[in-house]
Amino acid sequence: QVQLVESGGGLVQPGGSLRLSCAASGSIFSVNTMGWYRQAPGKQREFVASITSGASTNYAGSVKGRFTISRDNAKNTVYLQMSSLNAADTAVYYCNAHIASRWSFDQDYWGQGTQVTVSS
């Protein structure tokens, strides 16, 4: 079955940078919009950034100018380059992808989440 595997999370100091990766694997026919969401302790999951198959991007206002989303269609992978990180960015980051596969024409998939902690 289709699976999204995330990597790149960890502990970083304020002002630092991290690069998250999310690779989709399985019997995939096509990958449409991919994106990133995050959930901080005690808060609801929120949208961070998205990128279409044509590479059009969208960002939450809180991260615009600091985060950059990109994708490698040949590898079915989406990236999130995070810079100028601050404590408010601390959260579990989840990869999301809309995928057509042998099991479904359209299915919304989620990664397992990767922890990003910004602390001195």
Side-chain angles (χ1 to χ4, degrees), residues 63-104:
V63 307
K64 192 172 185 178
R66 300 188 298 120
F67 291 10
T68 301
I69 188 170
S70 61
R71 65 190 289 166
D72 185 336
N73 291 332
K75 297 180 179 180
N76 288 328
T77 299
V78 63
Y79 307 94
L80 185 68
Q81 178 66 50
M82 305 183 293
S83 300
S84 301
L85 288 164
N86 55 65
D89 296 315
T90 295
V92 177
Y93 285 71
Y94 296 91
C95 173
N96 172 261
H98 186 68
I99 297 173
S101 69
R102 66 172 62 187
W103 298 281
S104 178

Side-chain angles (χ1 to χ4, degrees), residues 4 34 52 63 81 90 108 116:
L4 301 183
M34 306 182 79
T52 68
V63 307
Q81 178 66 50
T90 295
D108 202 20
V116 173

Side-chain angles (χ1 to χ4, degrees), residues 7-59:
S7 62
L11 176 65
V12 64
Q13 293 184 332
S17 300
L18 282 176
R19 182 179 176 88
L20 305 183
S21 299
C22 174
S25 62
S27 298
I28 298 171
F29 292 159
S30 64
V31 180
N32 296 311
T33 299
M34 306 182 79
W36 292 92
Y37 291 73
R38 68 186 182 185
Q39 187 167 22
K43 297 183 179 180
Q44 294 185 325
R45 188 173 300 185
E46 66 174 349
F47 169 80
V48 175
S50 66
I51 183 168
T52 68
S53 59
S56 295
T57 60
N58 189 37
Y59 297 91

